[in-house]
Amino acid sequence: MRIAIAGGGPGGLYFAALMKQLDPSHEITVWERNAPDDTFGFGVVFSDETLGGIGNADTVIHDQMARRFARWTDIDIDVDGHTFTVGGQGFAAMSRKDLLRLLQQRVADLGVRVHYETEAPDADELRASHDLVVAADGVNSPIRTKYADTFAPALDHRPNKYIWLGTDLVFEAFQFFVKQTEWGTMQIHGYPYSATGSTFIVEMHEDVWRRAGFDATEGQSLPPGASDQHAVEKIKAIFADELAGHEVLTNNSKWLNFTTVRNQRWHDRNVVLLGDAAHTAHFSIGSGTKLAMEDALALAACLHERPTLVDALEAYEIERKPVVESTQRAAQASLEWFENIGMYAGQEPAQFCFNLLTRSRRITFENLKERDPEFAHRIESAFAESAGAREAVPAMFQPVDIGPLRLKNRVIVSPMDMYSATDGMPDDFHLVHLGSKALGGAGLVMTEMVCVSPEGRITPGCTGLWNDEQRDAYRRVTDFVHSRTTGKIGVQLGHSGRKGSTRLMWDGMDRPLPGDNWEVIGPSALAYGQGCHLPREADRTDLDKVVADFVAAAVRAVAAGFDLVEVHAAHGYLLSSFLSPVANKRTDEYGGSLTNRLRFPLEVFDAVRAAVPHQIPVTVRISATDWVPDGNTEHDAVEIARAFVEHGAAAVDVSSGQVTSEEQPAYGRSYQTPFADRIRQLVAAPAGVKVIAVGAISSYDDVNSILLAGRADLCALGRTHLYDPQWTLHAAAEQDYRGEGAGWPIQFRAGSRKPPTSRTDKIPPRLALLRQQADQHVHLRWTPR
């Protein structure tokens, strides 16, 4: 093959070296705009997985890299003078300049032609004269830009400012310095890369950056290779204690905003993207060099294994894109955490430390417990102390108060519509459904949305509390929970609004009933989506009736024996649609500004709160974002939550979306937790109000990690409890927890131990295992000789 590579960075050079080894007859040419010794940056970090791939593919490069590695296992976190160390991680880093030199020499030895200080020819010319064109030309890839219609790039420019520096202070581990300054929170990401130097990245929010005066050079145009000396001198002064008299090193060091690069397609006929041209991931979670070299490995392998170029490039994209997208999701969570780091200034140092470590959701409490048990115990003990508990037990089994209501643990069975009632009447199905979840150990079991009127139902199968017969039927359920379990039970009250009069979920969710429709109302005459009911705009008479219906239902809920009442103001139902600017287009005092859009939901909440005795908490569920342009965002959610807290909400249950059929949610593990986190830090925790996280939380490890990091006070799980009604009790067994937070019903107690599994007669190599354990170091520091 004739192969043209635009870009002589690590990814492009490594790909050239691999292809030349696979077939020396390949004619490979590389164009690099910079000189061979024009190396920007300082160190690069590799994972064990990447190094394993490099070792298998090119032992020469691997061995040369290994001789230069700085290796360590620790992460040090300094939070305003409080220092924490967590071990067992495993890192390897080296000088970027050394890596490039190795790769430059390797391709030269293999006969690859490299044109330094030379721009690559026009991409049309290259693809006409070569079998394959590899665009390894960086974040601002001219080739990607030229064929943007095909690759469909999306560039996400982030608000934080960062500057890439070095220092002759050789860190012994991965180092985070987090410092509260007079201008706001600043942080340093640092790590060693040799016996003489460390990478030293300073990052802060743009607002902090401006307040600190770093914008003094914003309008200046620095020549290529020059560094921002004003910034360097200021950084040396601010971080004088952390630098301990050592120098700050520069290398084309200027303030930057990180750009996340994504592409819908990675190849077009004989042109393929590699490295930063295809994708970027924030430096706090991944190395661009690492990802680029992994791309090179995969691309070379696919070209070698597949019969045609088309097959090979398709296989490369299929293999790498999901891996990169997973990394980018973690990196997105990490970069957003650092963008909002100022929110956590009030956290206790130990909780802040754990929060930082688990920011991307890739590292969890169980990960850390396995790697560094002593550190994990320290975090669990700090949480117990903050909760006023007597002993350090799994966080999910620490008791918690929602207003005057004490729960034995922090697990909630989330409201889930069952669509199984007749004329709003709960029956034996609901008794078994809710009763079994309470027997399963959850601290609080929530009903589905219980409708406050017949016309407030979502479907004909929804339950209600608009008459006394329904009240008495629910009393059977609450009596069972209270007499047979130590859990509590809450009711969620709601009105369907424009999403009402629809079919049962399994007959077509959100589709109008085929015959017996009832009239639906909304804040405006706007349908939820195409083919949905067109609601009538609610007038004053309608609003007064809704308030009265909520009050009557709340009074019946108290009489029915519920321990908690939740007002449903989420998921596009009536109160939620008043809150959302995409559903509420009113021009009266109930529409327009957020203050106006809040007016009616708060009227309902106030009326419910007044009707419910003070010993029963009233909570609210909100949608923290509408997931559509011009809809509510996480910033609006903070103000919505603040308003409900000021009106007496004992907890805020933070969900998202379902306000319009046009939504585009960013699904993923625990994907709604960041919304709960923001509300907790900015509104709820300072007011002593609890926050409930919900949404794709499926493991006890996730629950404990969320709680220990202070992102929420409780976790609500829905589908997980449908899969396993005894999920909470099983989580206790998995964690060897026995206590009041997870007491087994006496009838089930014989099953409280995990069932035995199959035996094996295999004799393990015990002495070899002992030697392996002796060789493992939880805390390995980089101490060059």
Side-chain angles (χ1 to χ4, degrees):
M1 295 178 67
R2 296 192 72 217
I3 300 173
I5 302 173
L13 292 177
Y14 188 49
F15 173 73
L18 292 173
M19 290 300 292
K20 200 68 172 175
Q21 291 173 85
L22 288 169
D23 188 344
S25 69
H26 289 320
E27 183 183 328
I28 303 174
T29 307
V30 180
W31 285 267
E32 170 54 48
R33 67 174 69 94
N34 296 310
D37 56 352
D38 285 349
T39 306
F40 304 117
F42 295 90
V44 291
V45 182
F46 295 95
S47 66
D48 291 339
E49 292 82 0
T50 304
L51 294 176
I54 293 172
N56 291 331
D58 189 333
T59 57
V60 173
I61 287 294
H62 178 270
D63 292 346
Q64 291 178 342
M65 290 171 63
R67 286 195 291 270
R68 293 164 172 81
F69 278 146
R71 290 186 179 273
W72 69 95
T73 64
D74 282 356
I75 299 174
D76 292 342
I77 303 173
D78 185 287
V79 185
D80 286 329
H82 300 273
T83 302
F84 297 83
T85 295
V86 56
Q89 309 299 310
F91 300 98
M94 66 181 296
S95 161
R96 181 178 175 86
K97 188 180 289 286
D98 286 349
L99 176 62
L100 272 176
R101 284 173 180 159
L102 292 179
L103 291 168
Q104 289 166 355
Q105 185 60 53
R106 183 66 171 147
V107 296
D109 293 344
L110 291 168
V112 175
R113 288 179 296 179
V114 183
H115 301 295
Y116 293 105
E117 299 182 87
T118 306
E119 293 285 349
D122 181 76
D124 287 339
E125 178 186 332
L126 287 177
R127 74 188 311 173
S129 57
H130 291 78
D131 300 304
L132 176 65
V133 178
V134 179
D137 48 353
V139 174
N140 300 311
S141 168
I143 294 178
R144 184 191 67 222
T145 302
K146 183 178 182 68
Y147 303 122
D149 288 347
T150 299
F151 295 124
L155 308 182
D156 181 14
H157 303 285
R158 307 304 303 185
N160 264 21
K161 293 286 187 179
Y162 73 96
I163 186 168
W164 208 288
L165 301 163
T167 176
D168 60 355
L169 170 60
V170 181
F171 297 131
E172 295 183 3
F174 213 116
Q175 183 71 61
F176 288 101
F177 292 108
V178 180
K179 191 161 190 168
Q180 303 301 332
T181 72
E182 60 185 289
W183 308 287
T185 307
M186 300 181 186
Q187 66 265 14
I188 290 173
H189 314 251
Y191 57 86
Y193 61 80
S194 72
T196 59
S198 301
T199 293
F200 185 82
I201 307 170
V202 181
E203 184 183 18
M204 66 196 74
H205 194 279
E206 183 178 354
D207 293 344
V208 177
W209 180 79
R210 292 192 183 280
R211 287 195 294 266
F214 285 114
D215 60 349
T217 56
E218 185 175 19
Q220 295 182 14
S221 179
L222 298 173
S227 297
D228 186 339
Q229 291 302 321
H230 170 77
V232 170
E233 294 305 315
K234 201 167 186 65
I235 287 168
K236 286 168 67 175
I238 293 171
F239 293 101
D241 291 342
E242 289 77 9
L243 288 165
H246 287 266
E247 291 298 317
V248 173
L249 310 175
T250 61
N251 183 354
N252 196 39
S253 302
K254 305 167 186 176
W255 289 109
L256 302 169
N257 292 74
F258 189 82
T259 298
T260 301
V261 176
R262 300 178 179 88
N263 287 274
Q264 287 187 17
R265 285 178 53 82
W266 287 18
H267 71 281
D268 175 40
R269 290 180 291 163
N270 65 336
V271 178
V272 64
L273 304 178
L274 185 147
D276 285 354
H279 50 73
T280 59
H282 193 252
F283 51 81
S284 64
I285 200 68
S287 162
T289 299
K290 164 191 174 300
L291 291 174
M293 293 182 72
E294 289 175 347
D295 285 353
L297 277 166
L299 180 57
C302 290
L303 288 164
H304 181 65
E305 295 164 354
R306 300 289 173 154
T308 69
L309 179 66
V310 172
D311 289 341
L313 298 187
E314 188 68 26
Y316 161 70
E317 183 170 329
I318 289 172
E319 176 183 337
R320 283 297 293 161
K321 197 175 181 187
V323 176
V324 167
E325 288 174 346
S326 175
T327 300
Q328 287 184 317
R329 285 192 292 271
Q332 186 76 11
S334 180
L335 74 85
E336 289 179 2
W337 192 91
F338 280 110
E339 288 171 359
N340 295 300
I341 193 171
M343 289 197 314
Y344 307 110
Q347 280 194 324
E348 290 297 318
Q351 188 169 70
F352 179 93
C353 174
F354 182 78
N355 196 350
L356 186 154
L357 290 169
T358 58
R359 65 194 181 278
S360 72
R361 301 194 287 275
R362 279 194 162 182
I363 294 177
T364 65
F365 180 69
E366 287 297 312
N367 297 150
L368 293 175
K369 188 176 180 180
E370 182 178 340
R371 298 172 185 181
D372 191 341
E374 183 180 347
F375 174 80
H377 180 71
R378 183 179 180 183
I379 295 301
E380 213 165 44
S381 297
F383 184 83
E385 183 179 350
S386 68
R390 296 189 301 271
E391 57 180 333
V393 301
M396 63 187 290
F397 295 115
Q398 293 287 7
V400 64
D401 296 329
I402 300 180
L405 178 66
R406 166 141 291 210
L407 303 179
K408 63 181 178 180
N409 63 47
R410 297 173 184 242
V411 177
I412 298 175
V413 176
S414 194
M416 293 175 284
D417 292 319
M418 294 289 106
Y419 308 110
S420 299
T422 302
D423 295 328
M425 186 74 71
D427 55 25
D428 287 348
F429 175 86
H430 300 87
L431 174 65
V432 173
H433 164 56
L434 297 171
S436 67
K437 305 307 181 293
L439 286 168
L444 175 66
V445 176
M446 292 296 299
T447 68
E448 61 194 272
M449 185 178 93
V450 175
C451 304
V452 297
S453 63
E455 63 275 12
R457 289 175 295 166
I458 310 165
T459 75
C462 293
T463 65
L465 268 176
W466 63 79
N467 62 46
D468 292 347
E469 290 76 19
Q470 294 160 351
R471 175 201 64 195
D472 296 341
Y474 262 124
R475 184 81 206 198
R476 290 182 66 221
V477 178
T478 63
D479 283 347
F480 178 88
V481 171
H482 293 146
S483 64
R484 294 291 187 174
T485 82
T486 55
K488 303 298 182 183
I489 183 166
V491 62
Q492 184 187 71
L493 300 179
H495 187 295
S496 59
R498 66 178 185 168
K499 294 178 72 175
S501 193
T502 58
R503 307 181 192 195
L504 304 182
M505 180 181 67
W506 41 85
D507 292 333
M509 191 164 62
D510 298 325
R511 293 179 61 191
L513 288 168
D516 297 329
N517 288 285
W518 56 85
E519 184 183 44
V520 297
I521 60 171
S524 302
L526 295 170
Y528 172 71
Q530 188 173 6
C532 296
H533 287 300
L534 182 67
R536 176 174 59 80
E537 182 173 308
D539 59 23
R540 184 67 255 177
T541 301
D542 296 316
L543 300 185
D544 290 341
K545 182 179 185 306
V546 169
V547 173
D549 289 339
F550 265 93
V551 169
V555 170
R556 290 192 179 96
V558 173
F562 285 104
D563 302 297
L564 175 147
V565 175
E566 180 170 273
V567 173
H568 198 351
H571 297 170
Y573 299 119
L574 184 63
L575 302 187
S576 172
S577 60
F578 266 90
L579 291 170
S580 172
V582 299
N584 183 348
K585 303 294 184 181
R586 298 175 76 102
T587 57
D588 61 6
E589 68 270 28
Y590 294 107
S593 68
L594 180 57
T595 299
N596 283 0
R597 300 198 310 274
L598 270 161
R599 195 181 305 274
F600 182 64
L602 289 175
E603 285 181 12
V604 171
F605 185 87
D606 288 344
V608 170
R609 178 64 278 182
V612 172
H614 66 86
Q615 67 268 25
I616 296 177
V618 178
T619 66
V620 64
R621 173 173 275 205
I622 65 171
S623 283
T625 177
D626 293 344
W627 297 115
V628 290
D630 302 321
N632 281 331
T633 68
E634 68 270 25
H635 304 291
D636 299 307
V638 168
E639 299 311 313
I640 291 169
R642 191 189 310 278
F644 281 108
V645 167
E646 290 173 351
H647 282 247
V652 183
D653 187 357
V654 186
S655 188
S656 73
Q658 301 181 50
V659 175
T660 168
S661 65
E662 304 300 316
E663 68 175 3
Q664 293 187 321
Y667 291 120
R669 193 168 116 253
S670 306
Y671 72 106
Q672 294 178 155
T673 299
F675 305 130
D677 187 10
R678 177 180 288 271
I679 288 170
R680 185 177 189 274
Q681 307 308 326
L682 297 180
V683 176
V689 169
K690 299 302 188 289
V691 166
I692 303 165
V694 61
I697 302 168
S698 56
S699 72
Y700 68 77
D701 190 17
D702 285 339
V703 173
N704 286 330
S705 298
I706 289 167
L707 298 174
L708 289 168
R711 298 186 179 108
D713 301 287
L714 304 98
C715 290
L717 298 85
R719 291 181 176 90
T720 304
H721 281 111
L722 296 181
Y723 178 78
D724 180 1
Q726 276 78 42
W727 181 85
T728 306
L729 296 179
H730 292 159
E734 292 283 349
Q735 297 172 83
D736 294 322
Y737 169 75
R738 292 174 178 83
E740 294 179 1
W744 283 73
I746 192 168
Q747 299 89 340
F748 292 177
R749 202 162 293 168
S752 61
R753 293 182 180 179
K754 290 179 64 177
T757 57
S758 58
R759 290 177 59 100
T760 177
D761 293 328
K762 181 179 178 181
I763 300 174
R766 295 168 67 185
L767 298 180
L769 286 174
L770 289 173
R771 283 196 296 274
Q772 289 176 12
Q773 292 170 6
D775 290 340
Q776 291 174 352
H777 298 283
V778 173
H779 297 293
L780 176 65
R781 314 287 286 183
W782 172 238
T783 52
R785 291 178 173 81

